Amino acid sequence: MEFKKDKLAIIFLIILLAFGAYLRFADYDTIGYPHDSLLTVAGSVAWFYPLDYFPGLIYMGPPLGNIIIGSGCMLSGQDFSGISNAHQLFSPDIPILVGQQMVDAEPYCKSPIYIFGLIFFLLASLLAILLLKDYSALYPIAFFTFSQFILEWSRVISVDVISYGFIFAGLIFLWKAYSSEKLSKKENIYFILTFISFGFAGATKLSAGIYLLFSFVFIVEKYWEEIKSIAKKILSAVKVNFAEKIKVNQEITNIKKFTTKVISYIIFYVIALLIPYKLNLGNLKGVLIGFRSLAPDVSSFGLNKWAFGMINNFLMRINIFDLLILIFSVYIFIKLILKKQKVKEEKFILYLVLLFLFTALFFESTSLLRVAIPFLISLILLMGLAFSNKEYSLFSAFKIPAEKRKKFSFIFLFIYILYSALITVPHEPYYYRGNEIVCMFEKENCDQMIISGLYSRSIKQTVNFLNPLMNENETFLYLEGAVVQVYGRQNDSLQHLQFDNYVYSQVGRYSTIPEKIEYFKPDERDIRYFIPTRWYESEESDIFKKEYVPNYLIRLNNKDVIKIYDIYNLTKK
């Protein structure tokens, strides 16, 4: 039965969509600006004020996602004009120039991310319905609903989730084009929309550029005879003997029409890509060169030595049911590879999985789970085939009769939703929890993943906790980057750098933590509170952890995440 005609499937879909919306917007105001969000927001509002150079060059990022985020910030009515005085590729001055404005505009700056998080969820669910067609689509939708890492990146200010939205819009149009009649008007419209969507995705995230090549996989398959005919004519024109060996269908008469369409698709892609770059190839080149200079490893092509780490992180963050189905999907993958007569839906999913494997193996940027998410979704669609009526499904493997398969699917889905809700809702809005089976063998990695993730989301809570404790002549030392000073003592950020540079010029080294506590007096304030960080671990910070009892603890998800030491009231352990 088709999905839209299955009343029980529609009821489950409504339940999942309601859960999905709730989990993406719950505790809207809790998560603040992590470190990377500082640059994202500052670079985003820069588009709306005069700069002496292309705004995308201020922090070296593609423009479209920043423009969308910046539009949300501007709705707040805050005056971000100070960003015009920001130094290129420099963050310590951001809290001084626009720090308070960022705090006041935070709900507005978040809104595009939360909206695109919901759009991405809906588009991924629609793609699952289009490819799987019946109730088997509900499992991938349930995964998208409760996936902790998808939820996490649907709630943090970053251009990634915006790129997900454009990518999955492009994949939906690509599927519709692939499944449409050759050279039909419908196919042409869908291919145009595909290349426009992927062009916008590339203008949002550099890693999305791979989808341009991925689109041509389907064009090549669908128009293989036309491509062979064109190749034969070109080789014959240059008098290459190999041309005679190419066998083509003599009935192919639409070469000119096909060629014109393909050229037009490329033009649509280039225009969509370049519009946010102000239709200037020089701006695109500048961003590419700048990004590669900042992150040469991440932006390069080569064997990815960190691929296993990304996959391991993925395994730690899915639940027990997902892990078991993923293991079974290896069998499905092999079956699909060996199957001679594949339907288009199977080919589409298989090509997506092969794209994931290719990018995971050869692009180091996919070591970051947030970059890998749109590629990883292919595994979830593959896992959805386990609940289909295909010969490689779970039902076939366990010899469950056809008339009982739907009943088993809905029973499993009910258990899956109940279990997922019980383990996900208590962890909102951060969504950090380890997989029980994987974490039995990797407890240290799981604990580190959870604490590290919660730590990166704790800046707002920590500084807002300190603000009422501090007297006017007191400040704090929390070396987590300039984003810390957005929430309090905005002038301290730049003075930290100036103090460090002065000490280095005098003694040839940077100051120690005790020296900074004693001698650093930003705006004539004394450092009273010290917070050890992840990024600047040292023997001095270890002394605090080993010898003193923290005066205050910041707890997230019932875990002690941040330790705060009151320098005036230290207590020995």
Side-chain angles (χ1 to χ4, degrees), residues 324-350:
L324 296 175
I325 297 168
L326 178 63
I327 293 170
F328 181 80
S329 70
V330 176
Y331 163 76
I332 298 176
F333 178 66
I334 295 171
K335 281 288 188 179
L336 280 181
I337 293 277
L338 299 177
K339 189 176 181 180
K340 293 182 179 179
Q341 298 297 323
K342 304 178 185 70
V343 298
K344 285 187 174 181
E345 291 84 355
E346 291 173 324
K347 287 182 180 179
F348 199 90
I349 293 174
L350 179 60

PDB file of all heavy atoms in Angstrom, residues 324-350:
ATOM      1  N   LEU A 324      21.827  -2.109  15.716  1.00  0.00           N
ATOM      2  CA  LEU A 324      21.516  -3.446  15.222  1.00  0.00           C
ATOM      3  C   LEU A 324      21.056  -3.408  13.765  1.00  0.00           C
ATOM      4  O   LEU A 324      21.455  -4.252  12.951  1.00  0.00           O
ATOM      5  CB  LEU A 324      20.445  -4.096  16.105  1.00  0.00           C
ATOM      6  CG  LEU A 324      20.849  -4.347  17.569  1.00  0.00           C
ATOM      7  CD1 LEU A 324      19.662  -4.879  18.367  1.00  0.00           C
ATOM      8  CD2 LEU A 324      22.020  -5.322  17.646  1.00  0.00           C
ATOM      9  N   ILE A 325      20.230  -2.427  13.428  1.00  0.00           N
ATOM     10  CA  ILE A 325      19.755  -2.310  12.048  1.00  0.00           C
ATOM     11  C   ILE A 325      20.898  -1.911  11.120  1.00  0.00           C
ATOM     12  O   ILE A 325      20.973  -2.375   9.972  1.00  0.00           O
ATOM     13  CB  ILE A 325      18.595  -1.294  11.973  1.00  0.00           C
ATOM     14  CG1 ILE A 325      17.415  -1.797  12.805  1.00  0.00           C
ATOM     15  CG2 ILE A 325      18.161  -1.072  10.530  1.00  0.00           C
ATOM     16  CD1 ILE A 325      16.339  -0.753  13.027  1.00  0.00           C
ATOM     17  N   LEU A 326      21.800  -1.054  11.615  1.00  0.00           N
ATOM     18  CA  LEU A 326      22.953  -0.665  10.807  1.00  0.00           C
ATOM     19  C   LEU A 326      23.814  -1.884  10.471  1.00  0.00           C
ATOM     20  O   LEU A 326      24.290  -2.026   9.331  1.00  0.00           O
ATOM     21  CB  LEU A 326      23.786   0.383  11.548  1.00  0.00           C
ATOM     22  CG  LEU A 326      25.059   0.858  10.845  1.00  0.00           C
ATOM     23  CD1 LEU A 326      24.726   1.551   9.528  1.00  0.00           C
ATOM     24  CD2 LEU A 326      25.868   1.792  11.745  1.00  0.00           C
ATOM     25  N   ILE A 327      24.020  -2.750  11.450  1.00  0.00           N
ATOM     26  CA  ILE A 327      24.799  -3.972  11.197  1.00  0.00           C
ATOM     27  C   ILE A 327      24.114  -4.819  10.128  1.00  0.00           C
ATOM     28  O   ILE A 327      24.766  -5.333   9.200  1.00  0.00           O
ATOM     29  CB  ILE A 327      24.972  -4.776  12.501  1.00  0.00           C
ATOM     30  CG1 ILE A 327      25.857  -3.993  13.485  1.00  0.00           C
ATOM     31  CG2 ILE A 327      25.574  -6.148  12.220  1.00  0.00           C
ATOM     32  CD1 ILE A 327      25.895  -4.579  14.879  1.00  0.00           C
ATOM     33  N   PHE A 328      22.792  -4.960  10.208  1.00  0.00           N
ATOM     34  CA  PHE A 328      22.064  -5.737   9.200  1.00  0.00           C
ATOM     35  C   PHE A 328      22.132  -5.060   7.828  1.00  0.00           C
ATOM     36  O   PHE A 328      22.134  -5.744   6.790  1.00  0.00           O
ATOM     37  CB  PHE A 328      20.599  -5.903   9.628  1.00  0.00           C
ATOM     38  CG  PHE A 328      19.779  -6.717   8.667  1.00  0.00           C
ATOM     39  CD1 PHE A 328      19.841  -8.098   8.677  1.00  0.00           C
ATOM     40  CD2 PHE A 328      18.952  -6.083   7.751  1.00  0.00           C
ATOM     41  CE1 PHE A 328      19.100  -8.845   7.776  1.00  0.00           C
ATOM     42  CE2 PHE A 328      18.208  -6.821   6.856  1.00  0.00           C
ATOM     43  CZ  PHE A 328      18.281  -8.214   6.870  1.00  0.00           C
ATOM     44  N   SER A 329      22.206  -3.717   7.804  1.00  0.00           N
ATOM     45  CA  SER A 329      22.209  -3.005   6.527  1.00  0.00           C
ATOM     46  C   SER A 329      23.484  -3.259   5.723  1.00  0.00           C
ATOM     47  O   SER A 329      23.507  -3.025   4.507  1.00  0.00           O
ATOM     48  CB  SER A 329      22.020  -1.506   6.750  1.00  0.00           C
ATOM     49  OG  SER A 329      23.165  -0.928   7.361  1.00  0.00           O
ATOM     50  N   VAL A 330      24.546  -3.736   6.386  1.00  0.00           N
ATOM     51  CA  VAL A 330      25.740  -4.143   5.639  1.00  0.00           C
ATOM     52  C   VAL A 330      25.377  -5.270   4.677  1.00  0.00           C
ATOM     53  O   VAL A 330      25.820  -5.307   3.519  1.00  0.00           O
ATOM     54  CB  VAL A 330      26.866  -4.580   6.598  1.00  0.00           C
ATOM     55  CG1 VAL A 330      28.068  -5.097   5.820  1.00  0.00           C
ATOM     56  CG2 VAL A 330      27.275  -3.416   7.500  1.00  0.00           C
ATOM     57  N   TYR A 331      24.535  -6.182   5.155  1.00  0.00           N
ATOM     58  CA  TYR A 331      24.041  -7.275   4.316  1.00  0.00           C
ATOM     59  C   TYR A 331      23.206  -6.721   3.157  1.00  0.00           C
ATOM     60  O   TYR A 331      23.336  -7.171   2.006  1.00  0.00           O
ATOM     61  CB  TYR A 331      23.216  -8.226   5.183  1.00  0.00           C
ATOM     62  CG  TYR A 331      22.317  -9.181   4.429  1.00  0.00           C
ATOM     63  CD1 TYR A 331      22.830 -10.304   3.792  1.00  0.00           C
ATOM     64  CD2 TYR A 331      20.935  -8.953   4.367  1.00  0.00           C
ATOM     65  CE1 TYR A 331      22.000 -11.181   3.100  1.00  0.00           C
ATOM     66  CE2 TYR A 331      20.099  -9.818   3.688  1.00  0.00           C
ATOM     67  CZ  TYR A 331      20.638 -10.924   3.058  1.00  0.00           C
ATOM     68  OH  TYR A 331      19.807 -11.785   2.375  1.00  0.00           O
ATOM     69  N   ILE A 332      22.359  -5.724   3.441  1.00  0.00           N
ATOM     70  CA  ILE A 332      21.545  -5.109   2.396  1.00  0.00           C
ATOM     71  C   ILE A 332      22.432  -4.453   1.345  1.00  0.00           C
ATOM     72  O   ILE A 332      22.198  -4.577   0.134  1.00  0.00           O
ATOM     73  CB  ILE A 332      20.569  -4.074   2.997  1.00  0.00           C
ATOM     74  CG1 ILE A 332      19.603  -4.742   3.965  1.00  0.00           C
ATOM     75  CG2 ILE A 332      19.804  -3.340   1.899  1.00  0.00           C
ATOM     76  CD1 ILE A 332      18.667  -3.779   4.674  1.00  0.00           C
ATOM     77  N   PHE A 333      23.469  -3.761   1.807  1.00  0.00           N
ATOM     78  CA  PHE A 333      24.399  -3.088   0.896  1.00  0.00           C
ATOM     79  C   PHE A 333      25.047  -4.086  -0.058  1.00  0.00           C
ATOM     80  O   PHE A 333      25.131  -3.842  -1.279  1.00  0.00           O
ATOM     81  CB  PHE A 333      25.450  -2.331   1.706  1.00  0.00           C
ATOM     82  CG  PHE A 333      26.484  -1.632   0.872  1.00  0.00           C
ATOM     83  CD1 PHE A 333      26.136  -0.571   0.050  1.00  0.00           C
ATOM     84  CD2 PHE A 333      27.814  -2.021   0.925  1.00  0.00           C
ATOM     85  CE1 PHE A 333      27.092   0.084  -0.717  1.00  0.00           C
ATOM     86  CE2 PHE A 333      28.771  -1.377   0.164  1.00  0.00           C
ATOM     87  CZ  PHE A 333      28.410  -0.327  -0.653  1.00  0.00           C
ATOM     88  N   ILE A 334      25.507  -5.193   0.484  1.00  0.00           N
ATOM     89  CA  ILE A 334      26.143  -6.222  -0.360  1.00  0.00           C
ATOM     90  C   ILE A 334      25.138  -6.778  -1.361  1.00  0.00           C
ATOM     91  O   ILE A 334      25.448  -6.970  -2.553  1.00  0.00           O
ATOM     92  CB  ILE A 334      26.720  -7.344   0.524  1.00  0.00           C
ATOM     93  CG1 ILE A 334      27.864  -6.791   1.386  1.00  0.00           C
ATOM     94  CG2 ILE A 334      27.217  -8.506  -0.337  1.00  0.00           C
ATOM     95  CD1 ILE A 334      28.355  -7.749   2.439  1.00  0.00           C
ATOM     96  N   LYS A 335      23.931  -7.025  -0.908  1.00  0.00           N
ATOM     97  CA  LYS A 335      22.879  -7.536  -1.788  1.00  0.00           C
ATOM     98  C   LYS A 335      22.580  -6.550  -2.922  1.00  0.00           C
ATOM     99  O   LYS A 335      22.370  -6.954  -4.078  1.00  0.00           O
ATOM    100  CB  LYS A 335      21.611  -7.812  -0.986  1.00  0.00           C
ATOM    101  CG  LYS A 335      21.639  -9.126  -0.200  1.00  0.00           C
ATOM    102  CD  LYS A 335      21.516 -10.308  -1.147  1.00  0.00           C
ATOM    103  CE  LYS A 335      21.344 -11.617  -0.417  1.00  0.00           C
ATOM    104  NZ  LYS A 335      21.203 -12.761  -1.338  1.00  0.00           N
ATOM    105  N   LEU A 336      22.531  -5.267  -2.591  1.00  0.00           N
ATOM    106  CA  LEU A 336      22.277  -4.261  -3.622  1.00  0.00           C
ATOM    107  C   LEU A 336      23.402  -4.208  -4.643  1.00  0.00           C
ATOM    108  O   LEU A 336      23.157  -4.055  -5.848  1.00  0.00           O
ATOM    109  CB  LEU A 336      22.102  -2.887  -2.980  1.00  0.00           C
ATOM    110  CG  LEU A 336      20.740  -2.560  -2.361  1.00  0.00           C
ATOM    111  CD1 LEU A 336      20.753  -1.150  -1.789  1.00  0.00           C
ATOM    112  CD2 LEU A 336      19.634  -2.685  -3.392  1.00  0.00           C
ATOM    113  N   ILE A 337      24.629  -4.310  -4.167  1.00  0.00           N
ATOM    114  CA  ILE A 337      25.779  -4.304  -5.072  1.00  0.00           C
ATOM    115  C   ILE A 337      25.680  -5.469  -6.062  1.00  0.00           C
ATOM    116  O   ILE A 337      25.928  -5.319  -7.265  1.00  0.00           O
ATOM    117  CB  ILE A 337      27.105  -4.401  -4.279  1.00  0.00           C
ATOM    118  CG1 ILE A 337      27.335  -3.138  -3.444  1.00  0.00           C
ATOM    119  CG2 ILE A 337      28.285  -4.663  -5.215  1.00  0.00           C
ATOM    120  CD1 ILE A 337      27.930  -1.986  -4.159  1.00  0.00           C
ATOM    121  N   LEU A 338      25.297  -6.639  -5.554  1.00  0.00           N
ATOM    122  CA  LEU A 338      25.279  -7.858  -6.376  1.00  0.00           C
ATOM    123  C   LEU A 338      24.008  -7.986  -7.213  1.00  0.00           C
ATOM    124  O   LEU A 338      24.000  -8.740  -8.196  1.00  0.00           O
ATOM    125  CB  LEU A 338      25.425  -9.100  -5.477  1.00  0.00           C
ATOM    126  CG  LEU A 338      26.729  -9.186  -4.666  1.00  0.00           C
ATOM    127  CD1 LEU A 338      26.710 -10.412  -3.765  1.00  0.00           C
ATOM    128  CD2 LEU A 338      27.941  -9.226  -5.590  1.00  0.00           C
ATOM    129  N   LYS A 339      22.966  -7.269  -6.842  1.00  0.00           N
ATOM    130  CA  LYS A 339      21.697  -7.397  -7.553  1.00  0.00           C
ATOM    131  C   LYS A 339      21.819  -6.842  -8.971  1.00  0.00           C
ATOM    132  O   LYS A 339      22.258  -5.719  -9.183  1.00  0.00           O
ATOM    133  CB  LYS A 339      20.603  -6.640  -6.782  1.00  0.00           C
ATOM    134  CG  LYS A 339      19.197  -6.875  -7.310  1.00  0.00           C
ATOM    135  CD  LYS A 339      18.163  -6.163  -6.437  1.00  0.00           C
ATOM    136  CE  LYS A 339      16.755  -6.420  -6.952  1.00  0.00           C
ATOM    137  NZ  LYS A 339      15.742  -5.742  -6.127  1.00  0.00           N
ATOM    138  N   LYS A 340      21.397  -7.628  -9.957  1.00  0.00           N
ATOM    139  CA  LYS A 340      21.554  -7.220 -11.354  1.00  0.00           C
ATOM    140  C   LYS A 340      20.448  -6.272 -11.802  1.00  0.00           C
ATOM    141  O   LYS A 340      20.702  -5.299 -12.503  1.00  0.00           O
ATOM    142  CB  LYS A 340      21.596  -8.463 -12.242  1.00  0.00           C
ATOM    143  CG  LYS A 340      22.847  -9.322 -12.023  1.00  0.00           C
ATOM    144  CD  LYS A 340      22.875 -10.518 -12.958  1.00  0.00           C
ATOM    145  CE  LYS A 340      24.144 -11.338 -12.740  1.00  0.00           C
ATOM    146  NZ  LYS A 340      24.195 -12.521 -13.630  1.00  0.00           N
ATOM    147  N   GLN A 341      19.225  -6.572 -11.460  1.00  0.00           N
ATOM    148  CA  GLN A 341      18.100  -5.753 -11.878  1.00  0.00           C
ATOM    149  C   GLN A 341      17.621  -4.894 -10.703  1.00  0.00           C
ATOM    150  O   GLN A 341      16.806  -5.318  -9.904  1.00  0.00           O
ATOM    151  CB  GLN A 341      16.963  -6.651 -12.383  1.00  0.00           C
ATOM    152  CG  GLN A 341      17.330  -7.489 -13.593  1.00  0.00           C
ATOM    153  CD  GLN A 341      17.668  -6.638 -14.807  1.00  0.00           C
ATOM    154  OE1 GLN A 341      17.051  -5.594 -15.034  1.00  0.00           O
ATOM    155  NE2 GLN A 341      18.642  -7.076 -15.597  1.00  0.00           N
ATOM    156  N   LYS A 342      18.156  -3.702 -10.618  1.00  0.00           N
ATOM    157  CA  LYS A 342      17.786  -2.788  -9.533  1.00  0.00           C
ATOM    158  C   LYS A 342      16.729  -1.815 -10.026  1.00  0.00           C
ATOM    159  O   LYS A 342      16.821  -1.301 -11.148  1.00  0.00           O
ATOM    160  CB  LYS A 342      19.002  -2.006  -9.033  1.00  0.00           C
ATOM    161  CG  LYS A 342      20.179  -2.836  -8.574  1.00  0.00           C
ATOM    162  CD  LYS A 342      21.319  -1.932  -8.147  1.00  0.00           C
ATOM    163  CE  LYS A 342      22.577  -2.708  -7.800  1.00  0.00           C
ATOM    164  NZ  LYS A 342      23.209  -3.317  -8.987  1.00  0.00           N
ATOM    165  N   VAL A 343      15.758  -1.536  -9.188  1.00  0.00           N
ATOM    166  CA  VAL A 343      14.818  -0.461  -9.506  1.00  0.00           C
ATOM    167  C   VAL A 343      15.496   0.872  -9.215  1.00  0.00           C
ATOM    168  O   VAL A 343      16.520   0.938  -8.520  1.00  0.00           O
ATOM    169  CB  VAL A 343      13.505  -0.607  -8.704  1.00  0.00           C
ATOM    170  CG1 VAL A 343      12.804  -1.901  -9.060  1.00  0.00           C
ATOM    171  CG2 VAL A 343      13.768  -0.532  -7.205  1.00  0.00           C
ATOM    172  N   LYS A 344      14.914   1.956  -9.725  1.00  0.00           N
ATOM    173  CA  LYS A 344      15.560   3.261  -9.609  1.00  0.00           C
ATOM    174  C   LYS A 344      15.734   3.689  -8.152  1.00  0.00           C
ATOM    175  O   LYS A 344      16.732   4.330  -7.794  1.00  0.00           O
ATOM    176  CB  LYS A 344      14.764   4.312 -10.374  1.00  0.00           C
ATOM    177  CG  LYS A 344      14.937   4.201 -11.886  1.00  0.00           C
ATOM    178  CD  LYS A 344      14.275   5.363 -12.610  1.00  0.00           C
ATOM    179  CE  LYS A 344      14.580   5.310 -14.100  1.00  0.00           C
ATOM    180  NZ  LYS A 344      13.972   6.455 -14.837  1.00  0.00           N
ATOM    181  N   GLU A 345      14.757   3.359  -7.294  1.00  0.00           N
ATOM    182  CA  GLU A 345      14.874   3.720  -5.886  1.00  0.00           C
ATOM    183  C   GLU A 345      16.096   3.062  -5.258  1.00  0.00           C
ATOM    184  O   GLU A 345      16.821   3.695  -4.481  1.00  0.00           O
ATOM    185  CB  GLU A 345      13.607   3.298  -5.123  1.00  0.00           C
ATOM    186  CG  GLU A 345      12.371   4.094  -5.471  1.00  0.00           C
ATOM    187  CD  GLU A 345      11.649   3.580  -6.706  1.00  0.00           C
ATOM    188  OE1 GLU A 345      12.162   2.645  -7.355  1.00  0.00           O
ATOM    189  OE2 GLU A 345      10.568   4.100  -7.038  1.00  0.00           O
ATOM    190  N   GLU A 346      16.341   1.807  -5.590  1.00  0.00           N
ATOM    191  CA  GLU A 346      17.498   1.097  -5.047  1.00  0.00           C
ATOM    192  C   GLU A 346      18.796   1.715  -5.559  1.00  0.00           C
ATOM    193  O   GLU A 346      19.764   1.877  -4.796  1.00  0.00           O
ATOM    194  CB  GLU A 346      17.426  -0.382  -5.434  1.00  0.00           C
ATOM    195  CG  GLU A 346      16.307  -1.139  -4.749  1.00  0.00           C
ATOM    196  CD  GLU A 346      16.148  -2.544  -5.274  1.00  0.00           C
ATOM    197  OE1 GLU A 346      16.331  -2.756  -6.494  1.00  0.00           O
ATOM    198  OE2 GLU A 346      15.842  -3.449  -4.468  1.00  0.00           O
ATOM    199  N   LYS A 347      18.814   2.061  -6.839  1.00  0.00           N
ATOM    200  CA  LYS A 347      20.020   2.688  -7.396  1.00  0.00           C
ATOM    201  C   LYS A 347      20.302   4.014  -6.708  1.00  0.00           C
ATOM    202  O   LYS A 347      21.459   4.336  -6.384  1.00  0.00           O
ATOM    203  CB  LYS A 347      19.846   2.906  -8.899  1.00  0.00           C
ATOM    204  CG  LYS A 347      19.910   1.645  -9.743  1.00  0.00           C
ATOM    205  CD  LYS A 347      19.778   2.004 -11.220  1.00  0.00           C
ATOM    206  CE  LYS A 347      19.828   0.759 -12.101  1.00  0.00           C
ATOM    207  NZ  LYS A 347      19.683   1.118 -13.526  1.00  0.00           N
ATOM    208  N   PHE A 348      19.259   4.807  -6.497  1.00  0.00           N
ATOM    209  CA  PHE A 348      19.440   6.130  -5.897  1.00  0.00           C
ATOM    210  C   PHE A 348      20.040   5.997  -4.502  1.00  0.00           C
ATOM    211  O   PHE A 348      20.994   6.713  -4.156  1.00  0.00           O
ATOM    212  CB  PHE A 348      18.091   6.848  -5.837  1.00  0.00           C
ATOM    213  CG  PHE A 348      18.206   8.339  -5.668  1.00  0.00           C
ATOM    214  CD1 PHE A 348      18.287   9.175  -6.758  1.00  0.00           C
ATOM    215  CD2 PHE A 348      18.226   8.908  -4.399  1.00  0.00           C
ATOM    216  CE1 PHE A 348      18.385  10.554  -6.606  1.00  0.00           C
ATOM    217  CE2 PHE A 348      18.325  10.279  -4.230  1.00  0.00           C
ATOM    218  CZ  PHE A 348      18.405  11.109  -5.344  1.00  0.00           C
ATOM    219  N   ILE A 349      19.495   5.103  -3.709  1.00  0.00           N
ATOM    220  CA  ILE A 349      20.016   4.895  -2.354  1.00  0.00           C
ATOM    221  C   ILE A 349      21.433   4.349  -2.406  1.00  0.00           C
ATOM    222  O   ILE A 349      22.316   4.789  -1.648  1.00  0.00           O
ATOM    223  CB  ILE A 349      19.096   3.955  -1.561  1.00  0.00           C
ATOM    224  CG1 ILE A 349      17.751   4.633  -1.296  1.00  0.00           C
ATOM    225  CG2 ILE A 349      19.743   3.546  -0.232  1.00  0.00           C
ATOM    226  CD1 ILE A 349      16.714   3.741  -0.644  1.00  0.00           C
ATOM    227  N   LEU A 350      21.690   3.416  -3.306  1.00  0.00           N
ATOM    228  CA  LEU A 350      23.031   2.838  -3.436  1.00  0.00           C
ATOM    229  C   LEU A 350      24.047   3.905  -3.821  1.00  0.00           C
ATOM    230  O   LEU A 350      25.148   3.969  -3.248  1.00  0.00           O
ATOM    231  CB  LEU A 350      23.020   1.716  -4.471  1.00  0.00           C
ATOM    232  CG  LEU A 350      24.364   1.017  -4.728  1.00  0.00           C
ATOM    233  CD1 LEU A 350      24.889   0.370  -3.451  1.00  0.00           C
ATOM    234  CD2 LEU A 350      24.222  -0.017  -5.837  1.00  0.00           C
TER     235      LEU A 350
END
